[in-house]
Amino acid sequence: MPQPTTLPDASNPQMKMADSEAKEIGSSADNSHDLDDGQIVANSGDMIDDGVRRALKSRHLMMIALGGVIGPGTFYATGFALQYAGPVGSLIGYIIVGVDVFLVTQSLGEMATLFPSTGSFNEFAGRFVDPALSFALGWNYWYMWGTILANEYNGAALILSFWTDKLPSYAWILICWVFFTGTSLLGVLVYGEMEFWLASFKFIVVIILYIVAILLDTGAIGGHYIGFEYWKDPGPFANGINGFGKVLVLAAVMYSGTEAVAITGGESRNPKKDIPKALKQTFWRILIVYVGMIFFTGLIVPSDSEALLNANSKSASSPFTVALVQAGWSGAGNLINAIIIVTLLSSINSAIYIASRCIFAQAKEGRAPRFLAKTTKNGVPVNAIVFTNLFGLISLLNISENAGNVFTYLLDISGGAAFIAWAFIGLTHVRFRAAMQAQGMPTSALPFKSAGYPYVPWVLFGANILLVLLSGYTTLLTPFDLKGFIFSYLVIPIFIVLYFGWKFYHGTKLVDPAEADIASGRREWLETREDEVSGRDMFRRVRNLVVG
C-alpha cells in the first residue's frame, strides 16, 4: 500500500465522524477494509480510497452519464442500423433496448449507491450470488469494453480513411493507440475534466445536428422537401427479422456505458448524492441521443445508400455527411468527420477508463493477475490501463479483413457480452433484496430505491438471456454463416467456462442471503459536503442547475 502524502487531521470533524461510523458498523461486521487507503492527496483534498483517487465531482458524473460514451460509432453506426433494418425497424430496435437499459439503471442504482466501489455490479455478484459469478461477470465486462475499445480504434481508421488512403488503416490505429495510452495515464481528474467539456461539446453537437436534420427534411437546406419519403421508398423495414436482430445487438453496444456510471462510484467524491443524479440522466440520454439520432437519420438518408457503413466498407460516412452531400454540399464530410474525430477523444478515453477500472477491481480481489492492481501514488491503475489498451489492438484484424467486417465481428462479441452483464445485474438485484429481507434491513435505508421491484430485475434477467440467445440466430439460416455464428455466440461458452472453472477450482457455493455481506463497503464516512460552491447570484445558480 502506498504511504499517504498527507494524513487526515485527527481533529477534522469529518474524520471523527468516519472513526465513529467505522466503529459503529464494525460492531456488526468486519469493515476494516472500508478505511483502507483513506489518505488525503496533498493540496487537493481528494481521498485515495482502496487504491484509487476520489476526485470526480457531481458535474463530471452528470456529463459522463449524459454524453460520456457518445463516440464515432454513435454517428456512423446509425448508418449500419439503417442498412440492416430500415428507418422504422432500427427505431423500434433502439427503443426496445433503451427500455432494457433504463431498467438496468433502476436495479443497479440501488446497489451502486449503497456500495460505491470500482468493482460495482461485478463485485456485488460475488457478495449476493456466487463468487464464481463475480469472476465470470468481471472478465465478461472487461472483454466487452475491450472489444468496444477495439471497435472505436477500427472506427477511427474508417473515419480517417475518408480523407486519405495514403496511410493503411493499421497505421491510423497505431497512431491513435500511442496517443490514447498517454492521455489515459494522466489520472482520473484529467479524465473527469476532459469528459465534462467533451461530453458537453458532443451533446451540443447532437442538438445542432438534429436542427440540421429538420432543415434538410423540410427543404430549408437543399431545396427539396423530404418529409417521410424514405420511410416509403425504400421502405420502413429492411432485411426482415434478420436485420432487426442485428440492430438489437448494435443498440446494446451503443447503449453500453450507461451502467458504467456505477463504476465511477469508486472515484466519486460524493457517490451517494452524485450517482443517483447521474442515473436519472439516463432517460434523457436514451431519448435525446440514441432514439433521436436514429429517428432523424432515418428521415434524411435512404436505408439503401451505398455510402453508409456496411460489411464491405473500407471507409464510411456519417448519415449526416451523406444527407448534406445529397443536398449539394460536397465538402460536408470534412466538417462532420472533424466533429466525429473530436468525439473520438472522449469515447476511447471512456472505454479505456471503464475497462481498466473493471480489471483493476478484479485484481484487487484476486480474480485477475495481481500486477494489474498496481497504482501510482496518485491512484492511477497504470498496469490495468496499459493491459486494457493492448487488448484494443485486436482492431488490427482489419489488416486481413474489411473494416466493415471487423466492425461486425467486434459488435457481435460486445453486444452479446452486454446482454449477459445486464441479465446478471437483474439476478444480483434479486439476491441483494433477498439478503436485505433475511437480515431485516428496511428499504428506507437505501439511498436510491428502484422503481418496479420485484418485476424489473426478473424482466431484466429473462429478457437479456433471451436477447443473447437470439442475437446470432440469423447465422443459422441458409446459408449457414460459420464465422458469424462463432462471433455471435462466442461469449456464451467463454462465460460458462469462466464461471464453472472458477467454481470447481475454488469450490465456491451460492451465497446464503442470511449470511451475505450487506454492511461493509458502504463508505458512509465519505464527506458529504457540496463539492461545488453554491452560487448566490443568478449566473452561478443557472450554472449549478445545468452542470450539477
Side-chain angles (χ1 to χ4, degrees), residues 167-398:
L167 280 179
S169 58
Y170 69 84
W172 288 120
I173 290 172
L174 292 174
I175 290 169
C176 290
W177 187 90
V178 172
F179 175 80
F180 287 107
T181 298
T183 59
S184 59
L185 291 172
L186 295 177
V188 68
L189 189 56
V190 174
Y191 165 75
E193 286 298 328
M194 284 182 64
E195 283 307 294
F196 173 74
W197 294 109
L198 289 172
S200 301
F201 168 79
K202 289 186 294 185
F203 190 72
I204 292 170
V205 166
V206 166
I207 301 301
I208 292 173
L209 288 177
Y210 291 169
I211 295 172
V212 170
I214 293 171
L215 296 176
L216 284 165
D217 190 64
T218 57
I221 296 177
H224 170 65
Y225 177 79
I226 300 174
F228 289 88
E229 177 181 326
Y230 298 136
W231 287 32
K232 300 174 183 177
D233 182 20
F237 301 97
N239 300 308
I241 193 68
N242 298 353
F244 186 70
K246 285 287 186 183
V247 167
L248 291 177
V249 177
L250 173 66
V253 177
M254 294 300 104
Y255 283 121
S256 295
T258 303
E259 77 290 332
V261 172
I263 290 178
T264 64
E267 294 176 269
S268 168
R269 284 187 171 188
N270 194 351
K272 294 187 185 301
K273 176 176 73 74
D274 296 341
I275 290 179
K277 288 172 64 178
L279 288 173
K280 289 175 183 177
Q281 296 291 328
T282 302
F283 174 79
W284 297 107
R285 175 182 173 178
I286 291 170
L287 182 65
I288 298 174
V289 177
Y290 294 116
V291 175
M293 184 69 72
I294 282 290
F295 173 75
F296 283 112
T297 54
L299 291 180
I300 61 177
V301 181
S303 61
D304 58 358
S305 172
E306 295 183 358
L308 298 174
L309 175 67
N310 57 65
N312 298 315
S313 298
K314 282 286 187 181
S315 62
S317 296
S318 161
F320 287 94
T321 299
V322 176
L324 288 168
V325 169
Q326 288 178 345
W329 184 14
S330 59
N334 294 313
L335 175 61
I336 300 298
N337 279 14
I339 291 172
I340 293 176
I341 291 301
V342 173
T343 70
L344 194 75
L345 298 173
S346 170
S347 61
I348 292 182
N349 266 339
S350 289
I352 296 172
Y353 171 83
I354 296 167
S356 64
R357 268 52 178 186
C358 176
I359 201 67
F360 163 78
Q362 288 282 84
K364 290 280 287 187
E365 297 299 323
R367 297 188 291 263
R370 287 289 186 184
F371 79 93
L372 295 174
K374 178 183 178 181
T375 61
T376 66
K377 64 180 181 180
N378 290 324
V380 179
V382 57
N383 290 346
I385 288 171
V386 174
F387 177 72
T388 294
N389 209 16
L390 282 171
F391 187 80
L393 290 180
I394 62 173
S395 55
L396 294 174
L397 284 169
N398 67 13

Side-chain angles (χ1 to χ4, degrees), residues 112-163:
T113 50
L114 188 63
F115 309 108
S117 70
T118 304
S120 190
F121 56 88
N122 302 314
E123 176 190 322
F124 306 152
R127 280 186 181 225
F128 306 118
V129 186
D130 187 338
L133 180 61
S134 186
F135 172 76
L137 200 58
W139 279 100
N140 172 83
Y141 197 64
W142 175 79
Y143 59 67
M144 182 193 94
W145 274 103
T147 52
I148 289 175
L149 173 63
N151 230 348
E152 293 288 21
Y153 281 136
N154 184 54
L158 277 167
I159 296 301
L160 291 167
S161 296
F162 175 86
W163 280 304

